[in-house]
Amino acid sequence: MFKKILIANRGEIALRIIRACREMGINTVAVHTEADNNSLHVRYADEDICIGKGPAKDSYLNIPTILSAAEITDSDAIHPGYGFLAENAHFAEICESCNIAFVGPTPGAMRRLGDKIEARKLMKEVGLPMLPGSDGPVESEDDALRMAQKIGYPVIIKASAGGGGRGMRVAHTDVSLANAFQTARSEAGAVFGNAQVYIEKFLEEPRHVEFQIIADKHGNCIALGERDCTVQRKHQKLIEESPSPIMTPEIRSKMVDLVIKGAQTAGYHTTGTIEFLVDKHLNFYFMEMNTRIQVEHPVSEMVTGMDLIKEQIRVAAGEELSVKESITPQGHSIECRINAEDPDRDFMPSPGTITSFHMPGGPGVRIDTHAYAGYKIPPYYDSLLAKLISYGANREEAIVRMLRALEEFVIEGVKTTIPFHQRALNKEAFKSGQISTNFVELLMNNKI
Ligand code: MV4
């Protein structure tokens, strides 16, 4: 097992990783910026190193600086968390060449799955259900037109290196397709340095359902059920839950077999998530695979009893999975992302000092946060302040507990998304589970 892990991240996830390490007897190194000097991850770690001023590109994204910090502290592994360098294959490669274990996939597996065209090809061969689309890159406007006419409108052009909704354009007619193709291509080139795009049938009003898997280097791979992340705004998830309210045991069992086959075929040996779009008839379509631990991993932990971070560290160190069979979710868990944003002002970021901070507690409530009373939220990073997670014997109990916890939560000094969550969870559409990815928009425009 590793003796010392450097956490190349900040905020709640850095703290979450430090807590797992503490329980495992692994020493920790926090890296931080001047702006994050007073963050809890710095206080909880055994050692800490300042790696820059505020902006991430000069600190949490600076590969040479982070590797120097790992060398100086004699760390034998780096945990990247999510975001920042977590899906950077070049970083994983450099860690490898410095003899520092990267807690995540091999650079090869990360590259294969990070390229959406490659991932689509691989998962299609394995037998995962796909929306009709191109089997490779679309190279020209004529190519795009031919494919679109074969698939039928509406279609979506997506960047092969994409993610977070960048480099993505929908077209409803031949005329709009030419423009969609060109703008998706140039945006993909500008944002990702890779202009390759592909085309798919555009699914209207889908749900987002994703499967959590974990694999070791001994041939074991298991699934930990699914998460429903349909409640999003501008590709930022706001509420996640497990299990999905629309899942059936039959569909889950079929999907679990397929995602495990997919991960094994990709040579995958860590935690990962396979994302699907779901239509109103409960047809599933592969969307993409995420090769990191995700923000919303706690809801899977709550319904499976597995500590995903500890397990991820164990498999990175070459150990076998502690559980060899897939786990069926028990009970129900919901996560609300408490962001320092003003829902009344189009979710505008609200950095500043938290003047008072009282966390909820009691049965079935978990909070992952790096914040506290007096904490100053820096303006440089994402606005996630806390993850409020509820657990109940069933969905109704998880919702009631979440509403009770949201009521108990006091955060003063900055605006937060707490009022948004209270509104959302009280909506009949949410309670009945009858929603699609347009739920937040409908809610904010008072259309439901
Ligand atoms: C789609 C789609 C409909 N049809 N692909 C959004 C993020 C990116 N990873 C892919 N996305 C979508 N791909 C096809 N063929 C709709 C979306 C989409 C979406 C998906 C999940 C959750 C929220 C969303 C919001 C807008 C668009």
Side-chain angles (χ1 to χ4, degrees):
M1 183 44 68
F2 305 123
K3 290 195 169 61
K4 196 188 274 188
I5 297 183
L6 180 142
I7 296 110
N9 214 300
R10 64 179 300 279
E12 67 83 21
I13 193 65
L15 205 53
R16 171 71 189 86
I17 297 161
I18 292 168
R19 286 178 168 144
C21 290
R22 184 67 94 222
E23 291 179 21
M24 296 173 83
I26 300 168
N27 290 316
T28 53
V29 179
V31 292
H32 66 93
T33 56
E34 285 176 16
D36 270 340
N37 216 359
N38 295 313
S39 180
L40 281 190
H41 81 281
V42 180
R43 293 203 213 164
Y44 278 50
D46 297 302
E47 294 171 68
D48 52 86
I49 298 192
C50 185
I51 55 165
K53 289 186 182 300
K57 71 166 180 35
D58 309 321
S59 53
Y60 300 112
L61 288 170
N62 188 326
I63 296 176
T65 307
I66 288 171
L67 277 153
S68 304
E71 297 281 1
I72 288 166
T73 53
D74 205 17
S75 301
D76 44 11
I78 294 182
H79 197 307
Y82 53 66
F84 297 126
L85 298 169
E87 284 159 288
N88 186 321
H90 171 66
F91 178 61
E93 213 161 57
I94 293 182
C95 290
E96 207 170 70
S97 67
C98 292
N99 242 332
I100 295 169
F102 177 81
V103 182
T106 59
M110 207 192 291
R111 272 207 186 92
R112 269 196 300 287
L113 295 165
D115 181 311
K116 309 286 181 288
I117 292 175
E118 282 299 308
R120 199 176 191 281
K121 232 183 262 173
L122 190 149
M123 295 301 177
K124 190 176 180 181
E125 274 165 27
V126 167
L128 268 74
M130 296 285 161
L131 282 160
S134 54
D135 286 329
V138 180
E139 307 278 9
S140 66
E141 244 177 72
D142 278 355
D143 239 17
L145 269 174
R146 238 187 334 268
M147 290 294 309
Q149 283 164 3
K150 191 172 131 205
I151 295 165
Y153 289 100
V155 297
I156 184 166
I157 311 277
K158 292 182 178 182
S160 188
R166 306 293 301 271
M168 214 170 79
R169 288 290 182 285
V170 178
H172 292 269
T173 62
D174 284 354
V175 176
S176 64
L177 180 70
N179 183 45
F181 172 73
Q182 298 300 351
T183 50
R185 257 180 91 84
S186 60
E187 190 174 314
V191 179
F192 307 112
N194 172 359
Q196 269 200 352
V197 295
Y198 62 108
I199 189 168
E200 265 182 4
K201 177 89 183 171
F202 179 67
L203 186 62
E204 312 214 44
E205 297 184 11
R207 294 185 76 108
H208 173 128
V209 175
E210 56 185 35
F211 280 79
Q212 177 70 56
I213 61 110
I214 181 162
D216 64 22
K217 296 169 185 167
H218 304 270
N220 303 298
C221 180
I222 64 171
L224 301 174
E226 76 286 352
R227 294 183 289 260
D228 195 308
C229 312
T230 301
V231 182
Q232 310 194 357
R233 181 189 166 271
K234 296 195 175 166
H235 306 293
Q236 294 296 317
K237 295 168 184 168
L238 284 160
I239 304 175
E240 303 99 338
E241 59 184 305
S242 183
S244 167
I246 56 159
M247 187 56 71
T248 68
E250 292 73 31
I251 297 174
R252 181 184 294 120
S253 149
K254 196 178 109 197
M255 298 302 293
V256 161
D257 288 347
L258 287 168
V259 297
I260 289 175
K261 213 168 140 197
Q264 285 179 323
T265 307
Y268 199 74
H269 307 293
T270 176
T271 53
T273 301
I274 297 107
E275 299 185 335
F276 296 89
L277 293 169
V278 186
D279 69 17
K280 56 178 175 297
H281 309 293
L282 302 193
N283 293 308
F284 279 67
Y285 304 100
F286 171 76
M287 185 159 54
E288 55 193 67
M289 179 158 177
N290 296 327
T291 62
R292 59 173 186 276
I293 190 76
Q294 289 189 273
V295 176
E296 60 270 26
H297 77 273
V299 295
S300 297
E301 296 188 319
M302 301 303 278
V303 297
T304 62
M306 179 175 273
D307 185 319
L308 275 163
I309 305 284
K310 281 203 223 169
E311 206 69 21
Q312 182 192 29
I313 292 170
R314 276 192 210 111
V315 297
E319 294 187 9
E320 279 196 65
L321 283 178
S322 68
V323 178
K324 304 286 192 312
E325 297 291 331
S326 290
I327 306 176
T328 305
Q330 301 291 317
H332 202 96
S333 182
I334 303 176
E335 171 177 285
C336 288
R337 296 196 192 186
I338 314 298
N339 297 333
E341 294 171 357
D342 186 353
D344 290 336
R345 289 201 164 67
D346 206 28
F347 293 84
M348 199 210 298
S350 178
T353 300
I354 298 173
T355 51
S356 78
F357 194 75
H358 291 281
M359 288 194 277
V365 174
R366 164 177 168 184
I367 300 163
D368 285 14
T369 182
H370 59 294
Y372 53 89
Y375 174 67
K376 188 173 170 204
I377 304 161
Y380 305 108
Y381 319 107
D382 73 33
S383 56
L384 183 67
L385 247 197
K387 302 190 303 204
L388 177 55
I389 302 128
S390 74
Y391 177 83
N394 51 49
R395 189 166 187 266
E396 290 65 41
E397 190 175 44
I399 292 174
V400 166
R401 281 201 167 134
M402 181 59 85
L403 284 166
R404 188 264 295 166
L406 285 163
E407 218 168 31
E408 287 179 16
F409 215 153
V410 178
I411 303 177
E412 285 171 348
V414 298
K415 298 281 186 197
T416 77
T417 47
I418 289 174
F420 163 82
H421 290 298
Q422 290 174 310
R423 263 192 81 200
L425 265 64
N426 276 307
K427 282 287 161 200
E428 200 42 51
F430 182 86
K431 287 192 208 172
S432 66
Q434 300 297 306
I435 57 164
S436 79
T437 46
N438 64 9
F439 175 69
V440 180
E441 196 186 310
L442 291 175
L443 186 71
M444 297 319 286
N445 291 312
N446 297 312
K447 297 220 172 94
I448 48 169

